[in-house]
Amino acid sequence: MARCDMAEEGKPLGGAADRQRTCAVCGAEFRPGERTEVEAFSDGAVRYVAVHPGHTTHSPSRERAAERRLRGQAA
């Protein structure tokens, strides 16, 4: 996941967080100055969604499988 800092308080958020205004996982609104993460997914086209740190749109089993593959490559 890529990280992006949101704008300072009182300024527009920018990027995916500005377009969405809410987390793609929990639906809570983003606050000015709040950190967000951006996730890529594909539904025929590559798209990006903003989420709160620690939230993910990916299934836990898929995340564990990806972690195992990455650990195997690092060894």
Side-chain angles (χ1 to χ4, degrees):
M1 281 180 271
R3 287 194 182 274
C4 65
D5 286 320
M6 295 178 65
E8 294 176 27
E9 192 152 345
K11 294 184 181 177
L13 301 173
D18 186 40
R19 287 188 303 275
Q20 286 176 220
R21 301 213 180 269
T22 61
C23 177
V25 176
C26 71
E29 287 189 27
F30 294 121
R31 295 177 306 224
E34 182 176 23
R35 289 186 65 85
T36 63
E37 295 181 349
V38 179
E39 288 191 350
F41 73 95
S42 176
D43 63 352
V46 176
R47 302 177 192 276
Y48 297 91
V49 295
V51 297
H52 287 112
H55 289 185
T56 182
T57 59
H58 303 293
S59 71
S61 60
R62 181 176 166 193
E63 290 291 301
R64 285 191 296 272
E67 287 175 18
R68 282 193 302 272
R69 283 194 305 273
L70 288 172
R71 279 195 302 268
Q73 291 175 359

